[in-house]
Every structure is written in C-alpha cells, then in structure tokens.
Amino acid sequence: LQILSSSPALQSYPLTSISVSSLQPSQYLVFPISTPDLNEIKRRQIARNALTTYLTISATSIADMEGNAVQPKDNNVNALVVTNYTADTVHPAIVSYSLD
C-alpha cells in the first residue's frame, strides 16, 4: 500500500502477512490485514482516506487458476487507486497492560 501513485519508501508499506487461496473462481481478491501490518500502515499515515490509498503489486504476487500472472501495478507507473474506501471507525482499545 502507498500514499500516492508515486511514493517514496517511507510513504509506502509492503504487507507482510498475506495468505490467500481460493478454490472458487472469482474476479475479486479479499484478504485480511494483520494487526502488525495495520499498525504500521496507521503509523505511516497510509490509507487515511481514498486519496491516500494506492496499491502496487508485482507480476509474481498472484496467479489465476490457469497459472497466468497478474498484471503488475508499479510505483511511478500505474499504481492502482482505491475505488471503494471504508473509513476505520473502530475506537482504540487496551489490549493488555502491566503494573510495576
């Protein structure tokens, strides 16, 4: 994910915990974003709104059921802007704490 169609490294973040496999044909790819990835995206202020949410993907990232590679979306070339954006409305919550 990145902030602009052409973003420097500090304004982009490669997702680290993606695992998707589907036996059903579909033109859509849905994947969960891990908590560590989500925290880093928020820290870098990426994807704060539709104007700051772009996707890049390499040709080796995904293949269809016939083994055809995805068309790459590259930084500075053709990064894909989000078409449907849903804002984060979940309030922060304490997950754990300790007393010393």
Side-chain angles (χ1 to χ4, degrees):
L1 292 174
Q2 59 190 49
I3 291 177
L4 300 169
S5 63
S6 156
S7 289
L10 290 176
Q11 292 181 327
S12 64
Y13 181 72
L15 299 176
T16 61
S17 303
I18 295 179
S19 176
V20 176
S21 64
S22 176
L23 300 176
Q24 305 220 352
S26 176
Q27 61 182 339
Y28 301 101
L29 177 64
V30 178
F31 54 89
I33 297 177
S34 70
T35 299
D37 282 346
L38 186 57
N39 289 340
E40 188 60 22
I41 289 166
K42 288 179 180 184
R43 188 185 74 75
R44 295 185 188 201
Q45 298 187 354
I46 298 169
R48 294 180 61 105
N49 57 51
L51 298 176
T52 61
T53 308
Y54 287 80
L55 176 73
T56 57
I57 190 166
S58 69
T60 59
S61 298
I62 301 172
D64 69 10
M65 295 179 79
E66 297 296 324
N68 300 310
V70 67
Q71 288 185 327
K73 299 295 181 184
D74 298 314
N75 188 23
N76 292 325
V77 179
N78 61 347
L80 189 63
V81 67
V82 68
T83 54
N84 294 319
Y85 181 88
T86 303
D88 180 4
T89 59
V90 178
H91 297 288
I94 296 174
V95 176
S96 67
Y97 70 95
S98 63
L99 295 173
D100 188 7

Coordinates of all heavy atoms in Angstrom, one line a residue:
L1 N 0.8 -1.2 0.0 CA 0.0 0.0 0.0 C 0.9 1.2 0.0 O 2.0 1.2 0.5 CB -0.9 0.0 1.2 CG -2.0 -1.0 1.3 CD1 -2.7 -1.0 2.7 CD2 -3.0 -0.9 0.2
Q2 N 0.4 2.3 -0.6 CA 1.1 3.6 -0.5 C 0.2 4.8 -0.6 O -1.0 4.6 -0.9 CB 2.2 3.6 -1.7 CG 1.6 3.4 -3.0 CD 2.7 3.2 -4.1 OE1 3.6 2.4 -3.9 NE2 2.7 4.0 -5.1
I3 N 0.8 5.9 -0.3 CA 0.0 7.2 -0.2 C -0.4 7.8 -1.6 O -1.5 8.2 -1.8 CB 0.8 8.2 0.7 CG1 0.8 7.7 2.1 CG2 0.1 9.6 0.6 CD1 1.6 8.6 3.0
L4 N 0.6 7.8 -2.5 CA 0.4 8.3 -3.8 C 0.7 7.3 -4.9 O 1.3 6.3 -4.6 CB 1.3 9.6 -4.0 CG 1.1 10.7 -3.0 CD1 2.2 11.7 -3.1 CD2 -0.3 11.4 -3.2
S5 N 0.3 7.6 -6.1 CA 0.7 6.7 -7.2 C 2.2 6.6 -7.4 O 2.7 5.7 -8.0 CB 0.0 7.2 -8.5 OG 0.5 8.4 -8.9
S6 N 2.9 7.6 -6.9 CA 4.3 7.7 -7.0 C 4.8 8.1 -5.6 O 4.8 9.2 -5.2 CB 4.8 8.7 -8.0 OG 6.0 9.2 -7.7
S7 N 5.2 7.1 -4.8 CA 5.5 7.3 -3.4 C 6.9 6.9 -3.0 O 7.3 5.8 -3.4 CB 4.5 6.6 -2.4 OG 3.3 7.2 -2.5
P8 N 7.6 7.7 -2.2 CA 8.9 7.2 -1.7 C 8.7 6.1 -0.6 O 7.6 5.9 -0.2 CB 9.5 8.4 -1.0 CG 8.4 9.3 -0.7 CD 7.3 9.0 -1.7
A9 N 9.8 5.4 -0.3 CA 9.7 4.2 0.6 C 9.0 4.5 1.9 O 8.2 3.7 2.4 CB 11.1 3.7 0.9
L10 N 9.2 5.7 2.5 CA 8.6 6.0 3.8 C 7.1 6.2 3.7 O 6.4 6.2 4.7 CB 9.3 7.2 4.5 CG 10.7 6.9 5.0 CD1 11.3 8.2 5.5 CD2 10.7 5.8 6.0
Q11 N 6.6 6.4 2.5 CA 5.1 6.6 2.3 C 4.5 5.4 1.7 O 3.4 5.5 1.1 CB 4.9 7.9 1.5 CG 5.3 9.1 2.2 CD 5.0 10.4 1.4 OE1 5.1 10.3 0.2 NE2 4.7 11.4 2.0
S12 N 5.1 4.3 1.8 CA 4.6 3.0 1.3 C 4.9 1.9 2.3 O 5.7 2.1 3.2 CB 5.2 2.6 0.0 OG 6.5 2.4 0.1
Y13 N 4.1 0.8 2.2 CA 4.3 -0.3 3.2 C 4.0 -1.6 2.5 O 2.8 -1.8 2.0 CB 3.5 -0.1 4.4 CG 3.7 -1.2 5.4 CD1 4.9 -1.3 6.1 CD2 2.7 -2.2 5.6 CE1 5.1 -2.4 7.0 CE2 2.9 -3.2 6.5 CZ 4.1 -3.3 7.2 OH 4.3 -4.3 8.1
P14 N 4.9 -2.6 2.4 CA 4.6 -3.9 1.8 C 3.9 -4.7 2.9 O 4.4 -4.9 4.0 CB 6.0 -4.4 1.5 CG 6.9 -3.8 2.4 CD 6.3 -2.4 2.7
L15 N 2.8 -5.3 2.6 CA 2.1 -6.1 3.6 C 2.9 -7.4 3.8 O 3.5 -7.9 2.8 CB 0.7 -6.5 3.0 CG -0.3 -5.3 2.8 CD1 -1.6 -5.7 2.2 CD2 -0.5 -4.5 4.1
T16 N 3.0 -7.8 5.0 CA 3.9 -8.9 5.3 C 3.2 -10.2 5.6 O 3.8 -11.3 5.7 CB 4.7 -8.6 6.6 OG1 3.9 -8.3 7.7 CG2 5.6 -7.3 6.3
S17 N 1.9 -10.2 5.9 CA 1.2 -11.4 6.4 C 0.0 -11.7 5.6 O -1.1 -11.9 6.1 CB 0.8 -11.2 7.8 OG 1.9 -10.9 8.6
I18 N 0.2 -11.9 4.3 CA -1.0 -12.2 3.4 C -0.9 -13.7 3.0 O 0.1 -14.2 2.6 CB -1.0 -11.3 2.1 CG1 -1.2 -9.9 2.5 CG2 -2.1 -11.8 1.2 CD1 -1.2 -9.0 1.3
S19 N -2.0 -14.3 3.2 CA -2.2 -15.7 2.8 C -3.6 -15.9 2.3 O -4.5 -15.8 3.0 CB -1.9 -16.6 4.0 OG -2.2 -18.0 3.6
V20 N -3.7 -16.1 1.0 CA -5.0 -16.2 0.3 C -4.9 -17.4 -0.6 O -4.0 -17.6 -1.4 CB -5.4 -15.0 -0.5 CG1 -6.7 -15.2 -1.2 CG2 -5.4 -13.8 0.4
S21 N -5.9 -18.3 -0.5 CA -6.1 -19.3 -1.5 C -7.5 -19.6 -1.6 O -8.3 -19.6 -0.6 CB -5.3 -20.6 -1.1 OG -5.8 -21.2 0.0
S22 N -8.0 -19.8 -2.8 CA -9.4 -20.0 -3.0 C -9.6 -21.0 -4.1 O -8.9 -21.0 -5.1 CB -10.1 -18.7 -3.5 OG -11.4 -18.9 -3.8
L23 N -10.5 -21.9 -3.9 CA -10.8 -23.0 -4.9 C -11.9 -22.5 -5.8 O -12.2 -23.2 -6.7 CB -11.1 -24.3 -4.2 CG -10.0 -24.9 -3.3 CD1 -10.5 -26.1 -2.6 CD2 -8.8 -25.2 -4.1
Q24 N -12.6 -21.4 -5.4 CA -13.7 -21.0 -6.2 C -13.3 -19.8 -7.1 O -12.6 -18.9 -6.7 CB -14.8 -20.5 -5.3 CG -15.2 -21.5 -4.3 CD -16.7 -21.6 -4.0 OE1 -17.4 -20.7 -4.5 NE2 -17.1 -22.6 -3.3
P25 N -13.6 -19.9 -8.4 CA -13.2 -18.8 -9.3 C -13.9 -17.5 -8.9 O -15.1 -17.5 -8.5 CB -13.8 -19.3 -10.7 CG -14.0 -20.7 -10.5 CD -14.3 -21.0 -9.1
S26 N -13.2 -16.4 -9.0 CA -13.7 -15.1 -8.6 C -12.8 -14.0 -9.2 O -11.6 -14.2 -9.4 CB -13.7 -14.9 -7.1 OG -14.1 -13.6 -6.8
Q27 N -13.5 -12.9 -9.5 CA -12.7 -11.8 -10.1 C -12.2 -10.8 -8.9 O -11.6 -9.8 -9.2 CB -13.5 -11.0 -11.1 CG -14.8 -10.4 -10.6 CD -15.6 -9.7 -11.6 OE1 -15.0 -9.4 -12.7 NE2 -16.9 -9.6 -11.4
Y28 N -12.6 -11.2 -7.7 CA -12.2 -10.4 -6.5 C -11.3 -11.1 -5.6 O -11.4 -12.3 -5.4 CB -13.5 -10.0 -5.7 CG -14.5 -9.3 -6.6 CD1 -15.6 -9.9 -7.1 CD2 -14.3 -7.9 -6.9 CE1 -16.5 -9.2 -7.8 CE2 -15.2 -7.2 -7.6 CZ -16.3 -7.9 -8.1 OH -17.2 -7.2 -8.9
L29 N -10.4 -10.4 -5.0 CA -9.4 -10.9 -4.0 C -9.7 -10.2 -2.7 O -9.6 -9.0 -2.6 CB -8.0 -10.7 -4.5 CG -6.9 -11.2 -3.5 CD1 -7.0 -12.7 -3.4 CD2 -5.6 -10.8 -4.1
V30 N -10.0 -11.0 -1.7 CA -10.3 -10.4 -0.4 C -9.3 -11.0 0.6 O -9.1 -12.3 0.6 CB -11.7 -10.7 0.1 CG1 -11.9 -10.1 1.5 CG2 -12.7 -10.1 -0.9
F31 N -8.6 -10.2 1.3 CA -7.6 -10.8 2.3 C -7.6 -9.9 3.6 O -7.8 -8.7 3.5 CB -6.2 -10.8 1.7 CG -5.7 -9.5 1.2 CD1 -5.1 -8.6 2.0 CD2 -5.9 -9.2 -0.2 CE1 -4.6 -7.4 1.5 CE2 -5.5 -8.0 -0.7 CZ -4.8 -7.1 0.1
P32 N -7.4 -10.6 4.7 CA -7.4 -9.8 6.0 C -6.0 -9.1 6.1 O -5.0 -9.6 5.6 CB -7.6 -10.9 7.0 CG -7.0 -12.1 6.4 CD -7.3 -12.0 4.9
I33 N -6.0 -8.0 6.7 CA -4.7 -7.3 7.0 C -4.4 -7.6 8.5 O -5.2 -7.4 9.4 CB -4.8 -5.8 6.8 CG1 -5.1 -5.5 5.3 CG2 -3.6 -5.1 7.2 CD1 -5.3 -4.1 5.0
S34 N -3.2 -8.1 8.7 CA -2.8 -8.5 10.1 C -2.7 -7.3 11.0 O -2.5 -6.1 10.5 CB -1.5 -9.2 10.1 OG -0.4 -8.3 9.7
T35 N -2.8 -7.5 12.3 CA -2.6 -6.4 13.2 C -1.3 -5.7 13.1 O -1.3 -4.4 13.1 CB -2.9 -6.9 14.7 OG1 -4.2 -7.4 14.8 CG2 -2.7 -5.8 15.7
P36 N -0.1 -6.4 13.0 CA 1.1 -5.7 12.9 C 1.2 -4.8 11.6 O 1.6 -3.7 11.6 CB 2.2 -6.8 12.8 CG 1.6 -7.9 13.5 CD 0.1 -7.8 13.2
D37 N 0.6 -5.4 10.5 CA 0.6 -4.6 9.2 C -0.3 -3.4 9.4 O 0.0 -2.3 9.0 CB 0.1 -5.4 8.1 CG 1.1 -6.4 7.5 OD1 2.3 -6.2 7.8 OD2 0.7 -7.3 6.7
L38 N -1.5 -3.6 10.0 CA -2.4 -2.5 10.2 C -1.8 -1.4 11.1 O -1.9 -0.2 10.8 CB -3.7 -3.0 10.8 CG -4.9 -2.0 11.0 CD1 -5.2 -1.4 9.6 CD2 -6.1 -2.6 11.6
N39 N -1.1 -1.7 12.1 CA -0.5 -0.7 13.0 C 0.6 0.1 12.2 O 0.7 1.3 12.4 CB 0.1 -1.4 14.2 CG -0.9 -1.9 15.2 OD1 -2.0 -1.4 15.2 ND2 -0.5 -2.8 16.0
E40 N 1.4 -0.6 11.4 CA 2.4 0.1 10.6 C 1.8 1.0 9.5 O 2.3 2.1 9.3 CB 3.4 -0.9 10.0 CG 4.6 -0.3 9.3 CD 5.5 0.5 10.3 OE1 5.4 0.3 11.5 OE2 6.2 1.4 9.8
I41 N 0.7 0.6 8.9 CA 0.0 1.4 7.9 C -0.5 2.7 8.6 O -0.4 3.8 8.1 CB -1.2 0.6 7.3 CG1 -0.6 -0.4 6.4 CG2 -2.1 1.6 6.6 CD1 -1.6 -1.5 6.0
K42 N -1.1 2.5 9.8 CA -1.5 3.7 10.6 C -0.4 4.6 11.0 O -0.5 5.8 10.9 CB -2.3 3.3 11.8 CG -3.7 2.7 11.4 CD -4.4 2.2 12.7 CE -5.8 1.6 12.3 NZ -6.6 1.3 13.5
R43 N 0.7 4.0 11.4 CA 1.9 4.8 11.9 C 2.4 5.6 10.7 O 2.8 6.8 10.9 CB 3.0 3.9 12.4 CG 4.1 4.6 13.1 CD 5.2 3.7 13.5 NE 6.0 3.2 12.4 CZ 6.9 3.9 11.7 NH1 7.1 5.2 12.0 NH2 7.6 3.4 10.7
R44 N 2.4 5.1 9.5 CA 3.0 5.8 8.4 C 1.9 6.7 7.7 O 2.2 7.3 6.7 CB 3.5 4.8 7.3 CG 4.7 4.0 7.8 CD 5.2 3.2 6.7 NE 6.2 2.3 7.2 CZ 7.2 1.7 6.5 NH1 7.2 1.9 5.2 NH2 8.0 0.9 7.0
Q45 N 0.7 6.7 8.3 CA -0.4 7.5 7.8 C -0.8 7.2 6.3 O -1.1 8.1 5.5 CB -0.1 9.0 8.0 CG 0.0 9.3 9.5 CD 0.1 10.8 9.7 OE1 0.2 11.6 8.8 NE2 0.2 11.2 11.0
I46 N -0.7 5.9 6.0 CA -1.2 5.5 4.7 C -2.6 5.1 4.8 O -3.1 4.6 5.8 CB -0.3 4.3 4.3 CG1 1.2 4.7 4.2 CG2 -0.8 3.7 2.9 CD1 2.1 3.5 4.0
A47 N -3.4 5.2 3.7 CA -4.8 4.8 3.6 C -5.6 5.5 4.6 O -6.6 5.0 5.2 CB -4.9 3.3 3.8
R48 N -5.4 6.8 4.8 CA -6.2 7.6 5.7 C -7.5 8.0 5.1 O -8.5 8.3 5.8 CB -5.5 8.8 6.2 CG -4.3 8.4 7.1 CD -3.5 9.6 7.6 NE -4.4 10.4 8.4 CZ -4.4 10.5 9.7 NH1 -3.5 9.8 10.4 NH2 -5.2 11.3 10.4
N49 N -7.6 8.0 3.8 CA -8.8 8.3 3.0 C -8.6 7.8 1.6 O -7.5 7.2 1.3 CB -9.1 9.8 3.0 CG -7.9 10.7 2.5 OD1 -7.4 10.4 1.4 ND2 -7.5 11.7 3.2
A50 N -9.6 8.0 0.7 CA -9.5 7.4 -0.6 C -8.4 8.1 -1.4 O -7.8 7.4 -2.4 CB -10.8 7.6 -1.3
L51 N -8.0 9.3 -1.1 CA -6.9 10.0 -1.9 C -5.5 9.5 -1.5 O -4.6 9.9 -2.1 CB -7.1 11.5 -1.7 CG -8.4 12.1 -2.2 CD1 -8.4 13.6 -1.9 CD2 -8.5 11.9 -3.7
T52 N -5.4 8.8 -0.4 CA -4.1 8.3 0.1 C -4.0 6.8 0.2 O -3.3 6.2 1.0 CB -3.8 8.9 1.5 OG1 -4.8 8.5 2.4 CG2 -3.7 10.4 1.5
T53 N -4.8 6.1 -0.8 CA -4.8 4.7 -0.8 C -4.6 4.1 -2.2 O -5.4 4.2 -3.0 CB -6.1 4.2 -0.2 OG1 -6.4 4.8 1.0 CG2 -6.1 2.7 0.0
Y54 N -3.3 3.7 -2.4 CA -2.9 3.1 -3.7 C -2.3 1.7 -3.5 O -1.7 1.5 -2.4 CB -1.9 4.0 -4.4 CG -2.4 5.3 -4.9 CD1 -2.7 6.4 -4.1 CD2 -2.7 5.4 -6.3 CE1 -3.2 7.6 -4.7 CE2 -3.2 6.6 -6.8 CZ -3.4 7.6 -6.0 OH -4.0 8.8 -6.5
L55 N -2.5 0.9 -4.4 CA -1.9 -0.5 -4.4 C -0.9 -0.7 -5.5 O -1.1 -0.3 -6.6 CB -3.1 -1.5 -4.5 CG -2.7 -3.0 -4.6 CD1 -2.3 -3.4 -3.1 CD2 -3.8 -3.8 -5.1
T56 N 0.2 -1.3 -5.1 CA 1.2 -1.8 -6.1 C 1.3 -3.3 -5.9 O 1.1 -3.8 -4.8 CB 2.6 -1.1 -5.9 OG1 3.1 -1.4 -4.6 CG2 2.5 0.3 -6.2
I57 N 1.5 -4.0 -7.0 CA 1.6 -5.5 -6.9 C 2.5 -5.9 -8.0 O 2.5 -5.4 -9.2 CB 0.2 -6.1 -7.0 CG1 0.2 -7.6 -6.7 CG2 -0.4 -5.8 -8.4 CD1 -1.1 -8.2 -6.5
S58 N 3.4 -6.9 -7.7 CA 4.3 -7.4 -8.7 C 3.6 -8.6 -9.5 O 2.7 -9.2 -9.0 CB 5.6 -7.9 -8.1 OG 5.3 -9.1 -7.3
A59 N 4.2 -8.9 -10.7 CA 3.6 -9.9 -11.5 C 3.7 -11.3 -10.9 O 2.9 -12.2 -11.2 CB 4.3 -9.9 -12.9
T60 N 4.6 -11.5 -10.0 CA 4.8 -12.8 -9.3 C 3.9 -12.9 -8.1 O 4.0 -14.0 -7.4 CB 6.3 -13.0 -9.0 OG1 6.7 -11.9 -8.1 CG2 7.1 -13.0 -10.2
S61 N 3.2 -11.9 -7.7 CA 2.4 -12.0 -6.5 C 1.2 -12.9 -6.5 O 0.8 -13.6 -5.6 CB 1.9 -10.6 -6.1 OG 3.0 -9.7 -5.9
I62 N 0.5 -12.9 -7.7 CA -0.8 -13.7 -7.8 C -0.8 -14.3 -9.2 O -0.4 -13.7 -10.2 CB -2.0 -12.7 -7.6 CG1 -2.0 -12.0 -6.3 CG2 -3.3 -13.5 -7.8 CD1 -3.0 -11.0 -6.1
A63 N -1.4 -15.5 -9.2 CA -1.7 -16.2 -10.5 C -3.1 -16.7 -10.4 O -3.6 -17.0 -9.4 CB -0.7 -17.3 -10.7
D64 N -3.7 -16.7 -11.6 CA -5.1 -17.2 -11.7 C -5.1 -18.8 -11.7 O -4.0 -19.4 -11.6 CB -5.9 -16.6 -12.8 CG -5.4 -17.1 -14.2 OD1 -4.5 -18.0 -14.3 OD2 -5.8 -16.5 -15.2
M65 N -6.3 -19.3 -11.8 CA -6.4 -20.8 -11.8 C -5.7 -21.5 -12.9 O -5.4 -22.7 -12.9 CB -7.8 -21.2 -11.7 CG -8.5 -20.7 -10.4 SD -10.2 -21.1 -10.3 CE -10.1 -22.8 -9.8
E66 N -5.4 -20.7 -14.0 CA -4.6 -21.3 -15.1 C -3.1 -21.0 -15.0 O -2.4 -21.4 -15.9 CB -5.2 -20.7 -16.4 CG -6.6 -21.1 -16.7 CD -6.8 -22.6 -16.9 OE1 -6.0 -23.2 -17.5 OE2 -7.9 -23.1 -16.4
G67 N -2.7 -20.3 -14.0 CA -1.3 -20.0 -13.8 C -0.9 -18.7 -14.5 O 0.3 -18.4 -14.5
N68 N -1.8 -17.9 -15.0 CA -1.5 -16.6 -15.6 C -1.2 -15.6 -14.5 O -1.9 -15.5 -13.5 CB -2.6 -16.1 -16.5 CG -2.9 -17.1 -17.6 OD1 -2.0 -17.5 -18.3 ND2 -4.2 -17.5 -17.7
A69 N -0.1 -14.9 -14.7 CA 0.3 -13.9 -13.7 C -0.6 -12.7 -13.8 O -1.1 -12.3 -14.8 CB 1.8 -13.5 -13.9
V70 N -0.7 -12.0 -12.6 CA -1.5 -10.8 -12.5 C -0.7 -9.7 -13.3 O 0.6 -9.7 -13.4 CB -1.7 -10.3 -11.1 CG1 -0.4 -10.0 -10.4 CG2 -2.7 -9.2 -11.0
Q71 N -1.4 -8.7 -13.9 CA -0.7 -7.6 -14.5 C -0.1 -6.7 -13.4 O -0.9 -6.3 -12.5 CB -1.7 -6.7 -15.3 CG -2.1 -7.4 -16.6 CD -3.0 -6.5 -17.4 OE1 -3.7 -5.7 -16.9 NE2 -2.9 -6.6 -18.7
P72 N 1.2 -6.4 -13.4 CA 1.8 -5.7 -12.3 C 1.2 -4.2 -12.3 O 0.8 -3.6 -13.3 CB 3.2 -5.7 -12.6 CG 3.3 -6.0 -14.1 CD 2.1 -6.8 -14.4
K73 N 1.2 -3.7 -11.1 CA 0.9 -2.3 -10.8 C 2.1 -1.7 -10.1 O 2.4 -2.1 -9.0 CB -0.4 -2.1 -10.0 CG -1.6 -2.7 -10.6 CD -2.0 -2.0 -11.9 CE -3.3 -2.6 -12.5 NZ -3.6 -1.9 -13.7
D74 N 2.8 -0.8 -10.8 CA 4.1 -0.4 -10.3 C 4.1 1.1 -9.8 O 3.4 1.9 -10.3 CB 5.2 -0.5 -11.4 CG 5.4 -1.9 -11.8 OD1 5.5 -2.8 -10.9 OD2 5.4 -2.2 -13.0
N75 N 4.9 1.3 -8.7 CA 5.1 2.7 -8.2 C 5.7 3.5 -9.4 O 6.5 3.1 -10.1 CB 6.1 2.6 -7.0 CG 6.2 3.9 -6.3 OD1 5.4 4.8 -6.4 ND2 7.3 4.1 -5.6
N76 N 5.2 4.7 -9.5 CA 5.7 5.7 -10.5 C 5.2 5.4 -11.9 O 5.5 6.0 -12.9 CB 7.2 5.8 -10.6 CG 7.8 6.5 -9.4 OD1 7.2 7.4 -8.8 ND2 8.9 6.1 -8.9
V77 N 4.4 4.3 -12.0 CA 3.9 3.9 -13.4 C 2.4 3.8 -13.4 O 1.7 4.6 -14.1 CB 4.5 2.5 -13.8 CG1 4.0 2.1 -15.2 CG2 6.0 2.6 -13.8
N78 N 1.8 2.8 -12.7 CA 0.4 2.6 -12.8 C -0.2 2.1 -11.5 O -1.0 1.2 -11.5 CB 0.1 1.7 -13.9 CG 0.8 0.3 -13.8 OD1 1.6 0.1 -12.9 ND2 0.3 -0.7 -14.6
A79 N 0.3 2.6 -10.3 CA -0.3 2.2 -9.0 C -1.8 2.3 -9.1 O -2.3 3.3 -9.6 CB 0.3 3.0 -7.9
L80 N -2.5 1.4 -8.5 CA -3.9 1.4 -8.6 C -4.6 2.1 -7.4 O -4.3 1.8 -6.3 CB -4.4 -0.1 -8.5 CG -5.8 -0.4 -8.8 CD1 -6.2 0.0 -10.2 CD2 -6.1 -1.9 -8.6
V81 N -5.4 3.1 -7.7 CA -6.1 3.9 -6.7 C -7.3 3.1 -6.2 O -7.9 2.4 -7.0 CB -6.5 5.3 -7.2 CG1 -7.5 5.2 -8.3 CG2 -6.9 6.2 -6.1
V82 N -7.7 3.3 -5.0 CA -8.8 2.6 -4.4 C -10.1 3.1 -5.1 O -10.2 4.3 -5.5 CB -8.9 2.8 -2.9 CG1 -9.2 4.2 -2.5 CG2 -9.9 1.9 -2.3
T83 N -11.1 2.2 -5.3 CA -12.3 2.6 -5.9 C -13.4 2.7 -4.8 O -14.4 3.5 -4.9 CB -12.8 1.7 -7.0 OG1 -12.8 0.4 -6.5 CG2 -11.9 1.8 -8.2
N84 N -13.4 1.8 -3.8 CA -14.3 1.8 -2.7 C -13.5 1.9 -1.4 O -12.8 1.0 -1.1 CB -15.2 0.6 -2.7 CG -16.1 0.5 -3.9 OD1 -16.7 1.5 -4.3 ND2 -16.2 -0.6 -4.5
Y85 N -13.7 3.0 -0.6 CA -13.0 3.2 0.6 C -13.9 3.2 1.8 O -14.9 3.9 1.7 CB -12.2 4.5 0.5 CG -11.4 4.7 1.8 CD1 -10.1 4.3 1.9 CD2 -11.9 5.5 2.8 CE1 -9.3 4.5 3.0 CE2 -11.1 5.7 4.0 CZ -9.8 5.2 4.0 OH -9.1 5.4 5.2
T86 N -13.6 2.4 2.8 CA -14.4 2.4 4.0 C -13.5 2.9 5.2 O -12.5 2.3 5.4 CB -15.0 1.0 4.4 OG1 -15.8 0.6 3.3 CG2 -15.8 1.1 5.6
A87 N -13.8 4.0 5.8 CA -13.0 4.6 6.8 C -13.0 3.6 8.1 O -14.0 2.9 8.3 CB -13.5 5.9 7.2
D88 N -11.9 3.7 8.8 CA -11.8 3.0 10.1 C -12.6 3.7 11.1 O -12.3 4.8 11.5 CB -10.3 2.9 10.4 CG -10.1 2.2 11.7 OD1 -11.0 1.6 12.3 OD2 -8.9 2.1 12.2
T89 N -13.6 3.0 11.6 CA -14.4 3.7 12.7 C -14.3 2.9 14.0 O -15.1 3.2 14.9 CB -15.9 3.7 12.2 OG1 -16.3 2.3 12.0 CG2 -16.1 4.5 11.0
V90 N -13.4 2.0 14.1 CA -13.2 1.2 15.3 C -12.4 2.1 16.3 O -11.3 2.5 16.0 CB -12.5 -0.1 15.1 CG1 -12.3 -0.9 16.4 CG2 -13.3 -0.9 14.1
H91 N -12.9 2.3 17.5 CA -12.2 3.1 18.5 C -11.0 2.2 19.1 O -11.1 1.0 19.2 CB -13.1 3.5 19.6 CG -14.2 4.4 19.1 ND1 -14.0 5.7 18.8 CD2 -15.5 4.2 18.9 CE1 -15.1 6.3 18.4 NE2 -16.1 5.4 18.4
P92 N -10.0 2.9 19.5 CA -8.8 2.2 20.1 C -9.3 1.5 21.4 O -10.2 2.0 22.1 CB -7.9 3.3 20.5 CG -8.3 4.5 19.7 CD -9.7 4.4 19.4
A93 N -8.7 0.4 21.7 CA -9.0 -0.4 22.9 C -7.7 -0.9 23.5 O -6.7 -1.2 22.8 CB -9.9 -1.6 22.6
I94 N -7.6 -1.0 24.8 CA -6.5 -1.5 25.5 C -6.5 -3.0 25.3 O -7.5 -3.7 25.7 CB -6.5 -1.1 27.0 CG1 -6.4 0.4 27.1 CG2 -5.4 -1.8 27.7 CD1 -6.5 0.9 28.6
V95 N -5.4 -3.5 24.8 CA -5.3 -5.0 24.6 C -4.7 -5.7 25.8 O -5.0 -6.7 26.2 CB -4.5 -5.3 23.3 CG1 -4.3 -6.8 23.1 CG2 -5.2 -4.7 22.1
S96 N -3.7 -5.0 26.4 CA -3.0 -5.5 27.6 C -2.3 -4.4 28.3 O -2.1 -3.3 27.8 CB -2.0 -6.6 27.2 OG -0.9 -6.1 26.5
Y97 N -1.9 -4.7 29.6 CA -1.1 -3.7 30.3 C -0.4 -4.4 31.4 O -0.7 -5.6 31.7 CB -2.0 -2.6 30.9 CG -2.9 -3.0 32.0 CD1 -2.6 -2.9 33.3 CD2 -4.2 -3.6 31.7 CE1 -3.4 -3.3 34.3 CE2 -5.0 -4.0 32.7 CZ -4.6 -3.8 34.0 OH -5.5 -4.2 35.0
S98 N 0.6 -3.8 32.0 CA 1.2 -4.4 33.2 C 1.6 -3.3 34.2 O 1.7 -2.1 33.8 CB 2.5 -5.1 32.8 OG 3.4 -4.2 32.2
L99 N 1.6 -3.6 35.4 CA 2.0 -2.7 36.5 C 3.3 -3.1 37.1 O 3.6 -4.3 37.2 CB 0.9 -2.7 37.6 CG -0.5 -2.2 37.2 CD1 -1.5 -2.4 38.3 CD2 -0.4 -0.7 36.8
D100 N 4.1 -2.1 37.4 CA 5.4 -2.4 38.0 C 5.5 -1.9 39.4 O 5.1 -0.8 39.7 CB 6.5 -1.8 37.2 CG 7.9 -2.3 37.6 OD1 8.0 -3.2 38.5 OD2 8.9 -1.8 37.0

